[in-house]
Amino acid sequence: MASVNKVILIGNLGKDPEVRHLEGGVAVARFPLATSETFKDKNGQRQEKTEWHNIVLWRGLAEVAEKYLRKGQSVFIEGKIRTSQYQDKEGNQRYSTEIVADQMTMLGSKGEGGSTSGNYQEQSASAGGYSGGGNTATAGKGASSAFQNDEPDDLPF
Amino acid sequence: MASVNKVILIGNLGKDPEVRHLEGGVAVARFPLATSETFKDKNGQRQEKTEWHNIVLWRGLAEVAEKYLRKGQSVFIEGKIRTSQYQDKEGNQRYSTEIVADQMTMLGSKGEGGSTSGNYQEQSASAGGYSGGGNTATAGKGASSAFQNDEPDDLPF
Amino acid sequence: MASVNKVILIGNLGKDPEVRHLEGGVAVARFPLATSETFKDKNGQRQEKTEWHNIVLWRGLAEVAEKYLRKGQSVFIEGKIRTSQYQDKEGNQRYSTEIVADQMTMLGSKGEGGSTSGNYQEQSASAGGYSGGGNTATAGKGASSAFQNDEPDDLPF
Amino acid sequence: MASVNKVILIGNLGKDPEVRHLEGGVAVARFPLATSETFKDKNGQRQEKTEWHNIVLWRGLAEVAEKYLRKGQSVFIEGKIRTSQYQDKEGNQRYSTEIVADQMTMLGSKGEGGSTSGNYQEQSASAGGYSGGGNTATAGKGASSAFQNDEPDDLPF
DNA sequence: TTTT
DNA sequence: TTTT
């Protein structure tokens, strides 16, 4: 054991979240998140390099994303790296890497400042359980609730 | 809002954990954790500077600490900074800064290698609730259980 | 060895940065940073608890703070915990805990949105050295430069 | 801007590092790192899921990896996510996600305890520059040196 | 007060 | 392909 798998990102949504409501009422949201870094190349020219991350949110976090997150907005994401294997059409083994969020904090977007900010935290509970309540911040907007995070292994997308 | 308060430490216990079992069966463990960094001073001499952190663990994490953590051992701690105010004997306002852990992973100690390693994660649940089960790692040693983390505000120490 | 001492904060400045320019041209900036979390108490009432962190920035980061950071603004800070000992007037041993930043990213403030954002990273170089340039992001505002971080041990404050 | 891309991993090497020494003396090391989490499935059975991460280290870190890291050992890695595009043999666009380390700390392996531990930190310097020295920990083993991290964009693997 |  |  002795394992840690932790990712911390601050970036901007490349698209509106794409949300699916699975059988059983479980919500899943996905969006691409851009982080960029600037650096000087060998000629001293400032360059920018953008990294795109596939963000996945489950349950309560997905619902918050559906309601409040839009393309261009800035968010803080804490989560873990997960690489899935799948077969492409030619039958080759492919890999897809995603960031499964367990915390999300809105940081506002242009023209909105900090006013849209809020903290949302994924919470764990016992098997099958909805743990209504908890110490999760909701920034005066209601919305955030606590769900477990044990998503099904094989999802239809 | 839009707040994040996160600490990540790997260090060694300066003492065995000091554990208290509060009324209601809630356990609290405390120990000092040393992190050290080496650097070269202006004379090119290697120097070491040690930082001491006051670690606080609640409930399930405290019980794991009581059972498995000992002076000298190496642990990974994830948590948050909390500074408490108190009055000293002369009535002056004092501050005490602690790291309240919400995840702890044993990294072994001298002569033990990785064999004592294990992951333990603090879990949140609804008010008053014990959330039996969960996705917490226990490294084949039993022990780790899931408790909520909403400790009482005023504690007798 | 085997040590990690890492802090990640997103919060708001409680005051404008207080900047000192030491002998040798080294700048040091300090400001209090608030992080807050909301939680429900036993009565189901939403409560907010604010944590104050003493942030310290050196050299390039201090100069960026002096130019761009103001009370109320939101920043991302990455750094380490450092607790200093000192004697109070009665000769008692006291402790003061600070966060020494090695990365700082502006996240904007009310009315400013993401437009004031920028990444600034503390960089290390060889002894005594100024390492002009580097791969630090500056959000099109210039300003960010790379300095070493080996501050003097005993500082006049 | 306002970007953060940070990964923190503790895991075990799946293989010995594969090291290449590029033209110009630059070293690059790669190895797979396993993180695993245990959880209880719907039947209450303990399950383990392993995640594999492709770790990339440059220059000084690569050299430390070459000398000291071996299959099975436990390491702490801090770095960033980088996804590269490439064309497979059929000409399809493919993506490969790696963790580019900027800090690495050995945590020992079975039978070795903490005795092989050490901290190694990637350092940045001015364009083209080697910054000999710095405040990097080397655990009494020599080895760690400070290099800049601006690797070439197109590498022959 | 730990560890290397 | 690691580790417990």
Side-chain angles (χ1 to χ4, degrees):
Chain A
M1 291 298 332
S3 262
V4 172
N5 174 357
K6 181 161 291 291
V7 177
I8 287 171
L9 300 172
I10 295 179
N12 299 87
L13 280 79
K15 297 183 183 173
D16 287 357
E18 195 173 290
V19 185
R20 294 187 51 141
H21 294 271
L22 305 182
E23 62 292 348
V26 175
V28 198
R30 289 166 184 271
F31 55 80
L33 186 78
T35 58
S36 48
E37 55 177 332
T38 54
F39 60 96
K40 285 190 185 144
D41 62 19
K42 34 240 125 182
N43 308 321
Q45 296 298 325
R46 190 172 301 285
Q47 300 285 349
E48 180 168 318
K49 192 173 174 198
T50 297
E51 198 66 40
W52 286 98
H53 310 271
N54 300 312
I55 309 295
V56 183
L57 306 98
W58 285 89
R59 301 171 197 269
L61 288 181
E63 292 164 1
V64 170
E66 183 171 34
K67 283 194 194 126
Y68 299 114
L69 288 188
R70 292 294 172 269
K71 177 180 174 173
Q73 282 179 332
S74 175
V75 290
F76 169 93
I77 294 281
E78 184 183 326
K80 64 182 169 193
I81 303 175
R82 193 178 54 186
T83 300
S84 314
Q85 297 184 33
Y86 66 96
Q87 306 250 344
D88 66 12
K89 314 110 188 197
E90 291 89 33
N92 300 311
Q93 196 78 340
R94 299 293 170 209
Y95 299 90
S96 162
T97 299
E98 301 168 326
I99 307 305
V100 182
D102 44 51
Q103 186 168 4
M104 188 261 290
T105 297
M106 299 169 64
L107 299 173
S109 61
K110 6 166 211 176
E112 299 181 86
S115 64
T116 55
S117 296
N119 283 333
Y120 306 94
Q121 177 146 18
E122 189 69 3
Q123 290 178 300
S124 297
S126 60
Y130 165 83
S131 92
N135 64 349
T136 310
T138 50
K141 304 203 178 58
S144 172
S145 291
F147 291 88
Q148 64 181 146
N149 198 15
D150 52 347
E151 78 269 25
D153 262 336
D154 300 299
L155 282 165
F157 67 103
Chain B
M1 290 300 331
S3 262
V4 172
N5 174 359
K6 182 160 290 292
V7 177
I8 286 170
L9 300 173
I10 293 178
N12 298 87
L13 280 79
K15 297 182 183 173
D16 285 357
E18 196 173 287
V19 185
R20 295 186 51 141
H21 294 272
L22 305 182
E23 61 292 351
V26 176
V28 199
R30 289 165 184 273
F31 57 81
L33 188 78
T35 58
S36 49
E37 54 177 333
T38 53
F39 60 96
K40 284 192 186 143
D41 62 19
K42 34 241 127 182
N43 309 321
Q45 296 298 325
R46 189 172 303 284
Q47 299 285 348
E48 179 169 317
K49 193 173 174 197
T50 296
E51 198 66 41
W52 286 98
H53 311 272
N54 300 311
I55 308 296
V56 183
L57 305 99
W58 285 90
R59 302 172 198 269
L61 287 182
E63 292 164 2
V64 171
E66 183 172 33
K67 283 194 196 127
Y68 300 113
L69 288 188
R70 292 296 173 266
K71 175 176 172 175
Q73 281 179 333
S74 175
V75 289
F76 169 92
I77 294 282
E78 185 184 325
K80 64 182 170 194
I81 302 175
R82 192 179 56 185
T83 300
S84 313
Q85 298 183 33
Y86 66 95
Q87 307 250 343
D88 66 11
K89 315 110 188 195
E90 292 89 32
N92 300 310
Q93 196 78 340
R94 297 294 170 207
Y95 299 89
S96 163
T97 299
E98 300 167 326
I99 307 305
V100 183
D102 44 51
Q103 185 167 5
M104 189 260 290
T105 296
M106 299 170 65
L107 299 174
S109 62
K110 22 170 199 173
E112 297 183 87
S115 64
T116 56
S117 297
N119 284 331
Y120 306 94
Q121 176 145 18
E122 189 69 4
Q123 290 179 301
S124 298
S126 59
Y130 166 81
S131 94
N135 63 348
T136 309
T138 50
K141 303 202 179 58
S144 172
S145 291
F147 291 88
Q148 65 180 145
N149 196 16
D150 52 348
E151 77 268 25
D153 263 335
D154 302 298
L155 282 165
F157 67 103
Chain C
M1 289 298 335
S3 262
V4 173
N5 174 358
K6 182 162 289 293
V7 177
I8 286 170
L9 301 172
I10 294 178
N12 298 88
L13 279 79
K15 296 182 183 174
D16 286 357
E18 195 173 289
V19 185
R20 295 185 51 141
H21 294 272
L22 305 183
E23 64 291 349
V26 175
V28 199
R30 289 165 184 274
F31 56 81
L33 187 78
T35 59
S36 49
E37 55 178 332
T38 54
F39 60 96
K40 286 192 186 142
D41 62 18
K42 35 241 126 180
N43 307 321
Q45 296 297 325
R46 189 173 303 283
Q47 300 285 349
E48 180 168 317
K49 192 173 176 198
T50 297
E51 197 66 41
W52 287 98
H53 310 272
N54 301 311
I55 309 296
V56 183
L57 306 98
W58 285 90
R59 302 174 197 266
L61 288 181
E63 292 164 2
V64 171
E66 184 171 34
K67 283 192 196 129
Y68 299 114
L69 288 188
R70 293 294 173 267
K71 177 178 174 175
Q73 282 179 332
S74 175
V75 289
F76 169 92
I77 294 282
E78 185 184 325
K80 63 181 170 196
I81 302 175
R82 193 179 55 184
T83 300
S84 313
Q85 297 184 34
Y86 65 96
Q87 306 251 343
D88 66 10
K89 314 111 188 196
E90 292 88 33
N92 300 310
Q93 196 77 339
R94 299 292 170 210
Y95 300 90
S96 164
T97 298
E98 300 168 326
I99 307 305
V100 182
D102 44 50
Q103 186 168 5
M104 190 260 291
T105 297
M106 300 169 63
L107 299 173
S109 62
K110 356 163 220 180
E112 298 181 86
S115 62
T116 55
S117 296
N119 282 332
Y120 306 95
Q121 177 144 17
E122 189 70 3
Q123 290 179 301
S124 298
S126 59
Y130 165 82
S131 94
N135 63 349
T136 310
T138 51
K141 306 203 177 57
S144 172
S145 292
F147 292 87
Q148 65 181 144
N149 197 16
D150 52 347
E151 78 269 23
D153 262 336
D154 302 298
L155 282 164
F157 65 104
Chain D
M1 288 297 335
S3 262
V4 172
N5 173 0
K6 182 162 288 293
V7 176
I8 286 169
L9 301 172
I10 293 179
N12 299 87
L13 280 80
K15 297 182 183 173
D16 286 356
E18 196 173 290
V19 186
R20 295 187 50 141
H21 294 271
L22 305 183
E23 62 292 347
V26 176
V28 199
R30 290 165 184 272
F31 56 81
L33 188 78
T35 59
S36 49
E37 56 178 331
T38 53
F39 60 96
K40 286 192 185 141
D41 62 19
K42 35 241 126 182
N43 308 322
Q45 296 297 325
R46 191 172 302 284
Q47 299 285 349
E48 179 169 318
K49 193 174 176 196
T50 296
E51 198 66 40
W52 287 98
H53 310 272
N54 300 311
I55 309 296
V56 183
L57 306 98
W58 286 89
R59 302 173 197 267
L61 288 181
E63 291 163 3
V64 170
E66 183 171 34
K67 284 195 195 124
Y68 300 113
L69 289 187
R70 292 296 171 268
K71 175 177 172 175
Q73 282 179 331
S74 176
V75 289
F76 169 92
I77 293 282
E78 184 183 326
K80 63 182 171 194
I81 302 175
R82 193 177 56 184
T83 300
S84 314
Q85 297 184 33
Y86 65 96
Q87 306 251 343
D88 66 11
K89 315 110 188 198
E90 291 89 32
N92 300 310
Q93 196 77 342
R94 298 294 171 207
Y95 299 90
S96 163
T97 298
E98 301 167 325
I99 308 305
V100 182
D102 44 52
Q103 186 168 4
M104 188 261 291
T105 297
M106 299 169 64
L107 300 172
S109 62
K110 21 168 200 174
E112 299 183 86
S115 63
T116 56
S117 296
N119 282 332
Y120 307 94
Q121 177 144 20
E122 189 70 2
Q123 291 178 301
S124 298
S126 59
Y130 165 83
S131 93
N135 64 349
T136 310
T138 51
K141 305 202 177 59
S144 173
S145 292
F147 292 87
Q148 65 179 145
N149 197 15
D150 52 347
E151 76 270 23
D153 262 336
D154 301 299
L155 283 164
F157 65 103

